Amino acid sequence: MKKALFLLTILTCFFNCTVNETPEFIGVNTIEVEDSNSKFITLKAEAEFLNPNDIGGTLKTDDLKVIINNNEISSVTTESFDVPAKDKFTIPLRAKIPTDSLFSDKNLSSLLGSLLTKNMKVQYVGDIDYKIMGFTHKYHVDVIDNVKIKL
């Protein structure tokens, strides 16, 4: 009798919870320079989602590429992020870029243009993975923004 009651409780919870949709990828907020010093420039953006389900899951980014002035410079990797149930949320997308990679030979012409205009074209390209109970869904990210640089 206890086993039947336990099974009935689990089935009731399972059928009353909505898990039929993946979280909605709303977009990536503005890319901006969070910090800069002589060794690194830290870029920050936030990916915004809406989860309509009664249970969460996890989101993870692996090798989200950062392209500055049409040159691949760095990548964004994050630890797994717990998705809240029935909520709108953001995950941080930070890239720590060594300044010496900006001053490489292949970047000198685009860097000179950036210094004159005080802007650099930053692009995030790659996938964010959503995982829940063995199910995986990929969200493709491809966002370009002009980032103001301070001299």
Side-chain angles (χ1 to χ4, degrees):
M1 181 68 175
K2 286 184 182 180
K3 289 182 183 179
L5 184 60
F6 180 72
L7 182 60
L8 183 62
T9 304
I10 289 177
L11 289 175
T12 303
C13 289
F14 181 74
F15 286 116
N16 286 332
C17 294
T18 56
V19 194
N20 53 356
E21 300 177 40
T22 58
E24 178 186 349
F25 176 56
I26 297 170
V28 175
N29 295 338
T30 305
I31 302 168
E32 58 187 29
V33 176
E34 182 179 57
D35 186 28
S36 63
N37 57 45
S38 61
K39 294 185 180 184
F40 292 99
I41 294 175
T42 305
L43 297 175
K44 179 186 95 170
E46 291 181 336
E48 192 171 358
F49 291 87
L50 175 64
N51 185 11
N53 299 315
D54 289 328
I55 60 172
T58 59
L59 286 171
K60 183 160 176 57
T61 60
D62 283 328
D63 297 325
L64 190 65
K65 294 179 178 95
V66 178
I67 300 169
I68 297 178
N69 294 335
N70 298 322
N71 295 307
E72 187 177 327
I73 301 294
S74 183
S75 64
V76 175
T77 55
T78 62
E79 295 182 20
S80 292
F81 180 84
D82 290 331
V83 175
K86 289 203 175 270
D87 199 7
K88 188 175 189 179
F89 63 96
T90 60
I91 62 168
L93 302 174
R94 283 190 176 81
K96 196 169 189 178
I97 301 167
T99 53
D100 59 351
S101 68
L102 291 174
F103 297 112
S104 68
D105 291 340
K106 70 178 185 177
N107 281 341
L108 283 180
S109 63
S110 64
L111 180 64
L112 183 59
S114 289
L115 291 174
L116 292 173
T117 62
K118 296 183 182 179
N119 277 321
M120 53 183 189
K121 184 174 99 174
V122 179
Q123 181 177 14
Y124 278 39
V125 177
D127 293 321
I128 298 175
D129 295 329
Y130 171 65
K131 294 181 182 178
I132 183 170
M133 295 188 274
F135 169 73
T136 302
H137 180 75
K138 290 190 181 290
Y139 299 98
H140 186 69
V141 174
D142 188 355
V143 64
I144 299 173
D145 203 355
N146 286 319
V147 176
K148 299 268 186 212
I149 53 176
K150 298 176 187 173
L151 299 174

